[in-house]
Amino acid sequence: YVQAEAFWDPSALPNVTFDQPITPNIARTKGEMATGSCYSPRFGGGTCDVECEALTGFSMDYLPSSSKPYVEYIHDPTASIVSFRKSQGYDTLAIHGYYARYWSRDKAYANLGFDDFISLEDMDNPERVRPCQWEGGLVTEAEMGRQIIAAYESRDPDVPLFLHAVTIQNHLADTDAMWGMLTDYFDGVDEPVILVLWGDHYNAIGNGMEVYTTTGYASDDTKDPRGHQTPLLIWSNYWKEPVALGTVAAYQITTVTDDLYGLEQPAYFDLLREEFGLYRARSLGTTVEPDGTYSQDALTSAQQEVYDAHWLLEYDLLFGENYQNAPIVQQ
């Protein structure tokens, strides 16, 4: 898994042309992978919220708008695709290009099931840029690609690996180059590898929303659904067919990926799969319908039923008694 900071596709801006390809590596591999849009619950920040959705299947829609799950809620072992893969015998590793304490990842990652965490403090003189904006600069996308490859090469070859990385530099062309680096490298290894990349959110550019409003791409409302759909790429080195995913909620990324490749999932993901047939995402008052259209109308009765069930499931796993994982008592 690779969550790329502020990664989006400016070629979608209407009436804008470019003097060179924007994402040539993604374009090169598009015919051999699944592509679509990740519907992000955030705009201009909240990276850890999007990450939490992707790893857990939990939706931020049920939580206070200002909450940060890593900081406020994930204080004990918490259900996630990480802990599930760990229970299957996987080694689990997280990599982030910033300090371990940022958004309490040093604590939250362990509670999600990660065995190890490589943060900025663990990197030996990593390549960094833009020190004028961030103290010490930002670890580059290229460096993150090298860190991912190095972690793969140093793994125990007899144990499967689940690796999740969060980049911090971007912007755009550098993420595309990292994608090219990773797909080229993993295309040459013997072990089957699945690579999933998505952007966490859009940012304000220029004077607030100016670049979006001037081009007619979106309104000046940060909740406009057109400003919440970042690229989602799912590629493997052993099955290369084009698949159009449409729009996928961040909390559905694992569901879709595992369905594509026939991987086992936690039992509670069955509910997410049922939800996916009724709507693609529900966030910030917007419903992305199965056909990809948007609606701010009330949910249908069937949609409301599964929406409420998702909240009960999430409440049980985050705040409740974890009934869904309790052993069955024979009467």
Side-chain angles (χ1 to χ4, degrees):
Y1 278 15
V2 182
Q3 179 173 284
E5 171 67 27
F7 183 53
W8 65 290
D9 182 7
S11 67
L13 297 173
N15 305 312
V16 176
T17 58
F18 301 90
D19 62 359
Q20 57 186 292
I22 300 299
T23 53
N25 290 291
I26 292 173
R28 172 175 58 86
T29 54
K30 189 171 183 179
E32 58 185 44
M33 64 179 175
T35 57
S37 298
C38 162
Y39 199 89
S40 172
R42 293 293 179 252
F43 182 97
T47 294
C48 60
D49 302 339
V50 188
E51 178 186 10
C52 184
E53 284 201 348
L55 292 176
T56 63
F58 301 158
S59 170
M60 290 297 300
D61 212 47
Y62 304 113
L63 304 175
S65 60
S66 61
S67 67
K68 298 294 174 218
Y70 283 0
V71 177
E72 298 169 61
Y73 308 135
I74 300 180
H75 300 155
D76 299 296
T78 302
S80 71
I81 191 58
V82 190
S83 58
F84 182 75
R85 291 285 176 254
K86 186 175 180 177
S87 74
Q88 292 184 306
Y90 281 65
D91 285 338
T92 54
L93 171 66
I95 307 177
H96 189 281
Y98 205 53
Y99 298 108
R101 67 180 184 276
Y102 199 52
W103 295 122
S104 294
R105 285 186 174 90
D106 53 345
K107 301 180 180 65
Y109 276 168
N111 283 320
L112 290 174
F114 284 109
D115 296 314
D116 294 300
F117 176 23
I118 298 172
S119 63
L120 177 60
E121 295 96 324
D122 304 310
M123 298 178 183
D124 183 17
N125 192 30
E127 180 184 39
R128 300 168 79 175
V129 294
R130 301 209 300 272
C132 58
Q133 295 174 300
W134 287 70
E135 182 181 357
L138 300 173
V139 173
T140 66
E141 305 290 275
E143 179 66 32
M144 288 298 294
R146 291 190 289 268
Q147 292 282 336
I148 291 168
I149 291 170
Y152 174 82
E153 291 183 339
S154 64
R155 79 199 185 285
D156 181 342
D158 296 324
V159 180
L161 174 66
F162 179 87
L163 188 155
H164 168 68
V166 179
T167 75
I168 195 169
Q169 178 237 336
N170 201 5
H171 281 282
L172 195 64
D174 292 337
T175 300
D176 178 76
M178 177 184 65
W179 177 259
M181 176 197 302
L182 294 176
T183 52
D184 285 348
Y185 174 81
F186 287 115
D187 217 14
V189 305
D190 293 331
E191 187 175 31
V193 175
I194 299 169
L195 182 61
V196 184
L197 181 143
W198 67 93
D200 57 352
H201 56 71
Y202 282 65
N203 278 350
I205 300 177
N207 183 16
M209 302 285 287
E210 185 177 18
V211 72
Y212 309 113
T213 57
T214 300
T215 60
Y217 177 75
S219 68
D220 60 1
D221 183 357
T222 58
K223 293 184 179 181
D224 189 319
R226 290 168 292 187
H228 286 266
Q229 301 195 61
T230 64
L232 171 61
L233 317 174
I234 306 175
W235 174 93
S236 78
N237 63 355
Y238 63 94
W239 185 73
K240 297 184 177 182
E241 297 291 339
V243 177
L245 295 172
T247 301
V248 175
Y251 57 80
Q252 292 279 19
I253 287 175
T254 294
T255 313
V256 170
T257 300
D258 290 353
D259 280 355
L260 275 172
Y261 294 99
L263 302 179
E264 289 186 69
Q265 301 176 337
Y268 73 89
F269 276 60
D270 289 344
L271 177 63
L272 300 185
R273 191 174 294 103
E274 179 183 348
E275 178 182 306
F276 198 65
L278 293 169
Y279 54 84
R280 291 303 192 101
R282 173 69 182 184
S283 184
L284 303 172
T286 294
T287 303
V288 181
E289 303 289 354
D291 64 359
T293 59
Y294 317 122
S295 172
Q296 272 82 36
D297 298 335
L299 296 171
T300 67
S301 58
Q303 289 173 332
Q304 189 68 54
E305 182 178 357
V306 75
Y307 180 86
D308 292 343
H310 190 170
W311 170 223
L312 287 174
L313 177 150
E314 186 170 324
Y315 182 91
D316 180 44
L317 291 172
L318 270 180
F319 312 113
E321 300 296 332
N322 199 17
Y323 288 117
Q324 58 203 295
N325 289 323
I328 297 174
V329 178
Q330 298 294 332
Q331 297 294 328

